[in-house]
Amino acid sequence: MSFRFEDFELDAATRELRRGGERVEVQPRVFDLLLHLIRHRARVVPRKELIEAVWPDVVVGDNSVSQALKAARRAIGDPAAEPRFIETVRGRGLRFKGPVTEARPAREAEAAASADPFVGRAQVRERLASQLEAACAGETRLALLVGEPGIGKTRTAETLAPAIEALGGRLIVGRCIEGEGAPPFWPFAQVLRQLDTDGARRLHERLVEGDSPDGPTAMRFELFDAIAGELAAAAARAPLAVLLDDLHSADPDSLSLLMHVVTSVGDRPLLVLGTLRDVASSEGSETSAGLSELVARDPLRVHHLRGLDREELAELARAVTGAAPSEEDAARLLEQTGGNPLFARHVLAAAPLEEANRNAPPEGVRSAIRHHLGFLPEPCREQLGMAAVLGREFAPDVLERMTGRPVAELLDQLE
């Protein structure tokens, strides 16, 4: 995806900032800051969120944001005294303003596919294609892709885009945000912005301005029905697929709206795709309860993604490195990564495969693991740290002797 504003273009695929077609040199963190602000331009982004997004693996302070912001302003010619692009909202954060257009040209899609090849998932893709076919026949469908971080949920969903475009339709994406900072209904606000009709723009403004998310039941129903109607009208004009990414981070309001959409749109060519981690990871929360209800509605439309097998990892290694791995190297890659495509790509990018298999996981893998472990309670992380020296499988009674805690308490934490 590339984002254009005035004579600038921010290319997420190639990680380049260009002005009038000429490359503008920016540091990686500065690029990430600009990209995050542009992607979330419909709202004010708190500085805390920027730190988490741009420096996920480093402990930094507000000064790092200020320095990166100064560099970003210099790169796009945006003086702080009279900003054209990046607005500082006192006490709240930063907001990217001004018209922005999004594009995914064919050359970019080809380059992205070459740089980050997609392998496997044949059965899941076949089932998704069948659901798309049913949706295009006039039956609104919901499909959920469930799996661990990095397993390829979003990539699998996005493989439907060419099939939808061939039918004259399109895939639009709304992403949920982990942690604090996003307003209620944020993924649907993004979807409405991309629909870009008069009705969608009015509804987008209502959501972004926080109009009645906690209002009376009648007001909520009117808002929900208006959004469902806008999606139905768009699907009536051309087949529509809506990807709601990272639903495990959705607010309860968004999940309620999702339930309303999939049950009320009716006979329109609409396919709603959702990606989420296992709902058990947030058991007890409002979000988990809403997702459990969504999953229980139709288990046949829930697709669980597992790790790639050895043959698929070998295919990925050939695509990334240009050389076929030996059976022994492919087996070690499977053992080291568990078939997780994200981890496998980091390993393959870090060093030649035979060398990578002898060394510790590359920093990209370690950073991803640290990030996702950060959402676990401290007692659980402590127990996993001790269990790690025992190997991938361990007996609870051994961990009990190591920690001095009863087995029942350990199992409660680990679950």
Side-chain angles (χ1 to χ4, degrees):
M1 183 70 71
S2 63
F3 303 88
R4 299 187 178 102
F5 52 101
E6 290 191 4
D7 57 343
F8 288 95
E9 181 179 5
L10 195 75
D11 193 323
T14 62
R15 293 186 61 80
E16 290 182 345
L17 173 66
R18 295 185 286 269
R19 183 172 192 175
E22 297 293 326
R23 182 170 179 170
V24 179
E25 292 295 334
V26 290
Q27 294 295 319
R29 304 284 191 189
V30 175
F31 181 92
D32 290 340
L33 182 142
L34 276 171
L35 182 59
H36 193 82
L37 288 176
I38 290 176
R39 277 179 169 163
H40 301 281
R41 59 191 178 276
R43 64 184 176 92
V44 177
V45 178
R47 286 185 171 236
K48 179 182 177 183
E49 179 185 323
L50 278 173
I51 290 175
E52 293 173 351
V54 179
W55 293 269
D57 52 349
V58 183
V59 178
V60 299
D62 192 62
N63 184 59
S64 295
V65 177
S66 298
Q67 294 303 315
L69 177 59
K70 288 180 181 178
R73 289 192 186 280
R74 285 196 299 271
I76 60 177
D78 189 44
E82 298 180 3
R84 304 191 330 272
F85 302 121
I86 304 176
E87 175 187 15
T88 299
V89 182
R90 187 176 299 277
R92 294 179 59 194
L94 301 167
R95 181 173 185 174
F96 197 94
K97 62 180 185 177
V100 176
T101 57
E102 301 180 9
R104 183 184 286 274
R107 60 175 177 77
E108 178 184 303
E110 292 170 3
S114 174
D116 194 10
F118 183 90
V119 302
R121 311 301 185 206
Q123 290 184 340
V124 172
R125 293 174 68 184
E126 184 177 341
R127 292 199 296 270
L128 290 177
S130 296
Q131 290 183 260
L132 174 62
E133 183 179 346
C136 289
E139 182 183 349
T140 297
R141 288 296 184 105
L142 169 69
L144 299 175
L145 297 174
V146 182
E148 66 182 44
I151 206 67
K153 302 182 292 295
T154 305
R155 290 289 308 279
T156 301
E158 289 176 340
T159 60
L160 276 180
I164 297 167
E165 291 168 1
L167 296 170
R170 59 173 171 160
L171 172 72
I172 56 179
V173 183
R175 304 189 191 281
C176 306
I177 298 176
E178 287 182 320
E180 301 176 356
F185 304 114
W186 179 240
F188 280 97
Q190 297 172 72
V191 168
L192 290 168
R193 186 185 70 218
Q194 292 169 72
L195 285 180
D196 199 29
T197 62
D198 290 341
R201 283 191 288 271
R202 287 193 295 270
L203 289 167
H204 174 268
E205 290 176 4
R206 289 181 62 181
L207 293 186
V208 171
E209 296 301 323
D211 183 13
S212 73
D214 298 312
T217 302
M219 293 179 64
R220 283 175 61 85
F221 181 83
E222 181 272 331
L223 177 63
F224 283 18
D225 214 43
I227 293 171
E230 196 63 39
L231 289 170
R237 292 189 292 271
L240 179 65
V242 175
L243 170 57
L244 301 175
D245 206 18
D246 290 338
L247 278 175
H248 52 271
S249 298
D251 58 284
D253 288 314
S254 290
L255 294 180
S256 297
L257 176 53
L258 172 57
M259 292 285 286
H260 184 88
V261 167
V262 297
T263 56
S264 64
V265 166
D267 56 347
R268 293 289 187 272
L270 172 64
L271 174 63
V272 180
L273 298 163
T275 70
L276 63 147
R277 299 178 200 158
D278 190 338
V279 294
S281 63
S282 57
E283 190 172 355
S285 69
E286 284 188 81
T287 296
S288 176
L291 289 173
S292 297
E293 181 182 355
L294 203 61
V295 168
R297 290 185 62 86
D298 193 345
L300 295 179
R301 296 180 184 177
V302 179
H303 311 285
H304 293 272
L305 298 188
R306 311 300 181 192
L308 301 178
D309 60 28
R310 189 175 66 179
E311 289 72 23
E312 290 168 335
L313 283 175
E315 182 183 349
L316 178 63
R318 280 195 299 272
V320 171
T321 67
S326 66
E327 289 192 10
E328 183 181 24
D329 282 339
R332 281 201 297 262
L333 184 63
L334 175 60
E335 180 182 3
Q336 186 173 9
T337 66
N340 185 297
L342 175 65
F343 292 174
R345 286 184 176 91
H346 278 297
V347 170
L348 293 167
L353 188 54
E354 62 275 11
E355 179 182 336
N357 278 322
R358 293 196 297 268
N359 296 331
E363 182 56 32
V365 175
R366 296 165 67 87
S367 295
I369 293 173
R370 282 196 298 266
H371 174 71
H372 294 297
L373 285 176
F375 295 100
L376 297 176
E378 175 58 35
C380 183
R381 292 201 302 271
E382 180 184 351
Q383 290 163 26
L384 289 174
M386 293 184 179
V389 302
L390 300 175
R392 295 192 177 193
E393 297 181 2
F394 54 88
D397 62 312
V398 178
L399 190 59
E400 179 183 39
R401 293 197 295 274
M402 291 174 66
T403 63
R405 295 175 180 170
V407 168
E409 179 183 333
L410 294 174
L411 293 179
D412 282 344
Q413 287 291 340
L414 292 175
E415 287 174 359

